[in-house]
Amino acid sequence: MMGEDKMPDTAQATAAGETRADALGALARFAAETRSGEIPEATLAKTALVLADSLAAIAGGMAEPDMRALLARQAAPGPALVIGTSEARAPGIAALLNGTAGTTLEMDEGNQFAKGHPGMHTIPAALAVADPDIPGRDLLSAIALGYDIGARVGRATALRPTMHPHGTWGTLCAATAVARLADADAGGMRHAMSLAASLSLATSRRTMLDGGTVRNAFTGVAGQMGVLAGDLIATGFTGDRDGVAEVFGRVVSDSLDTAAMTTALGARWEVDRNYFKMHSCCRFNHAALDALALLTEAGQIRPEEVEAATVETYSLAAELADPAPANVLAAKFSVPFAVATALFTGETGVNSFTADKVADPGIRALAARVCVVEDPAMTARLPDQRPARVTIRLRDGTIQSAATETNRGDWADPYTADEIHAKFRTLTARVWPEAAASEIWALCRALPHAPSARPLFTALARAAT
């Protein structure tokens, strides 16, 4: 076995380099040379739905006080709209603000195979740099391709377990979309991906558990870095020969599965395998909440009657075991709190994860009676399934239990467009009148066949006024 301080011989190193280069080259050619007309209609329609859902998450998040304060401090005007407001900023700043707002409520879509949120890493950057007169199909193509490239690298990368996935491979989502909108050829696209990899963040996983809200900015920074990558390349900056392999195979991870990066490239679109969220909390909570919903649908469970509850689930969810979260963000990453607030409030939307709910003594007392344990058999079913079993023991000795194999909203058990529209209306009501929100929803859904995206950009700018 080769020692840690011994380098591989030249032939081995060259072969490994060529393999990595082939994978990156294939991704670059695909992102640059795939014509909009070659993308399936169903995929473009799904991308339009992801765009609408993401706009709602951004607009709703922009209503939060910390986002309004951050907007005020990033005050220099520019041409790119800050969603949920009538203000505009420089493209990089708009991508930062919109990406951060879109993560704040924990309502943004994601991809269980990529282990992250490609949409919110792609869309703010794409909207920040796109010409409003671009055909709708071309805007959606840039988003679908940025989503696809980032998600593929995310799936192929085994990030260090101490890292949070936001702001890492998602920078490639943003940079790919920006390069596509700039009509980059295959060489330029490869350059953008390689350079953008070195603009990724070193993110701490502890932030989500400790309630460190800097975590909400990771996605925004990735979008900002995607815009910056375009500016750097336009002015002559260069990156590694293969920054993707270096950063995601040797720096933030010791393993990059290059075969996974290109498997079914062009035949399987990653946006078609996304999930949408209805619970306003970390996706790892959702299996427990879906199982709990099965119990509450069968009959009311009064919080005061619950003596104890046990949640058996997979490893990533079992990590979210803090029964006394410090703030709203930490509460969104706590299975005990999520179960307790769901029982108290009867729902799991934005209003169940607020500061007053985190401080509520009844909810906190119930959360303290919720135990979370890993079931290795459930862990073994990742990433295709996200299972959980919830068992509740009432004070009268009654025991109730329910289990789920997948999460509502994912590719195996999707929400309907009507359900996603209802979520859209709820989130956008925080900042937009109902008529404006309805117009934006309709314009997003019509985008695959719209000759220009300008009506959507105009409606977004007008809505907040």
Side-chain angles (χ1 to χ4, degrees), residues 234-310:
T235 50
F237 284 76
T238 60
D240 295 7
R241 182 180 61 81
D242 189 345
V244 173
E246 287 299 309
V247 172
F248 296 104
R250 300 181 64 183
V251 179
V252 301
S253 164
D254 293 322
S255 172
L256 182 68
D257 183 355
T258 53
M261 289 167 58
T262 56
T263 298
L265 188 62
R268 184 191 72 214
W269 288 84
E270 298 306 319
V271 72
D272 290 333
R273 304 199 298 167
N274 86 316
Y275 61 75
F276 292 103
K277 298 174 69 174
M278 297 294 173
H279 309 306
S280 184
C281 56
C282 175
R283 181 67 169 174
F284 301 158
N285 287 323
H286 289 210
L289 294 177
D290 288 347
L292 181 64
L294 295 175
L295 291 178
T296 56
E297 287 169 6
Q300 184 180 12
I301 299 176
R302 298 181 183 280
E304 65 274 12
E305 295 175 350
V306 176
E307 182 174 79
T310 300

Side-chain angles (χ1 to χ4, degrees), residues 59-449:
M62 200 65 71
E64 291 295 296
D66 56 351
M67 284 308 309
R68 292 290 176 169
L70 183 60
L71 171 64
R73 292 185 68 88
Q74 304 290 326
L81 181 68
V82 179
I83 306 299
T85 80
S86 58
E87 300 189 41
R89 298 290 186 267
I93 297 301
L96 168 68
L97 292 168
N98 289 331
T100 303
T103 307
T104 295
L105 298 179
E106 271 295 308
M107 292 294 270
D108 51 320
E109 68 85 51
N111 186 292
Q112 69 197 69
F113 303 101
K115 304 176 289 291
H117 301 259
M120 199 53 69
H121 286 84
T122 309
I123 288 169
L127 295 180
V129 304
D131 181 341
D133 290 319
I134 187 173
R137 190 181 192 97
D138 291 347
L139 176 59
L140 292 176
S141 296
I143 293 171
L145 287 162
Y147 191 113
D148 207 71
I149 298 305
R152 287 175 173 279
V153 174
R155 175 164 187 152
T157 302
L159 287 178
R160 302 194 187 287
T162 52
M163 291 193 72
H164 194 294
H166 288 190
T168 55
W169 50 261
T171 305
L172 300 179
C173 296
T176 299
V178 169
R180 171 75 180 199
L181 291 167
D183 292 325
D185 61 14
M189 185 66 74
R190 177 187 173 127
H191 188 184
M193 295 176 182
S194 189
L195 183 147
S198 288
L199 297 177
S200 301
L201 290 172
T203 56
S204 167
R205 189 176 183 82
R206 282 300 317 174
T207 55
M208 70 182 194
L209 302 175
D210 291 347
T213 52
V214 65
R215 171 261 177 197
N216 292 338
F218 295 165
T219 307
V221 171
Q224 183 181 33
M225 291 301 100
V227 174
L228 177 61
D231 291 339
L232 290 174
I233 289 171
T235 50
F237 284 76
T238 60
D240 295 7
R241 182 180 61 81
D242 189 345
V244 173
E246 287 299 309
V247 172
F248 296 104
R250 300 181 64 183
V251 179
V252 301
S253 164
D254 293 322
S255 172
L256 182 68
D257 183 355
T258 53
M261 289 167 58
T262 56
T263 298
L265 188 62
R268 184 191 72 214
W269 288 84
E270 298 306 319
V271 72
D272 290 333
R273 304 199 298 167
N274 86 316
Y275 61 75
F276 292 103
K277 298 174 69 174
M278 297 294 173
H279 309 306
S280 184
C281 56
C282 175
R283 181 67 169 174
F284 301 158
N285 287 323
H286 289 210
L289 294 177
D290 288 347
L292 181 64
L294 295 175
L295 291 178
T296 56
E297 287 169 6
Q300 184 180 12
I301 299 176
R302 298 181 183 280
E304 65 274 12
E305 295 175 350
V306 176
E307 182 174 79
T310 300
V311 177
E312 301 163 85
T313 187
Y314 56 94
S315 58
L316 296 173
E319 184 182 13
L320 312 186
D322 183 3
N327 60 12
V328 170
L329 179 62
K332 290 174 180 287
F333 286 84
S334 165
V335 171
F337 180 86
V339 169
T341 195
L343 286 171
F344 262 86
T345 65
E347 56 105 11
T348 55
V350 172
N351 292 332
S352 292
F353 294 87
T354 55
D356 62 311
K357 300 301 189 302
V358 174
D360 186 286
I363 295 177
R364 294 182 75 86
L366 178 54
R369 302 197 297 275
V370 178
C371 175
V372 186
V373 295
E374 179 191 356
D375 181 338
M378 292 184 179
T379 300
R381 279 140 65 184
L382 295 173
D384 294 305
Q385 295 181 333
R386 297 290 174 102
R389 181 181 301 103
V390 174
T391 302
I392 293 179
R393 185 173 70 252
L394 302 180
R395 297 192 185 281
D396 65 3
T398 301
I399 294 177
Q400 300 183 26
S401 184
T404 184
E405 303 298 323
T406 61
N407 294 170
R408 283 294 325 276
D410 72 12
W411 63 277
D413 188 12
Y415 292 118
T416 66
D418 286 344
E419 288 175 302
I420 296 169
H421 189 193
K423 170 193 170 183
F424 178 93
R425 292 195 302 268
T426 298
L427 292 181
T428 57
R430 307 182 97 209
V431 292
W432 293 336
E434 183 178 354
S438 295
E439 180 186 18
I440 291 167
W441 172 265
L443 288 168
C444 284
R445 300 303 306 278
L447 210 54
H449 304 290

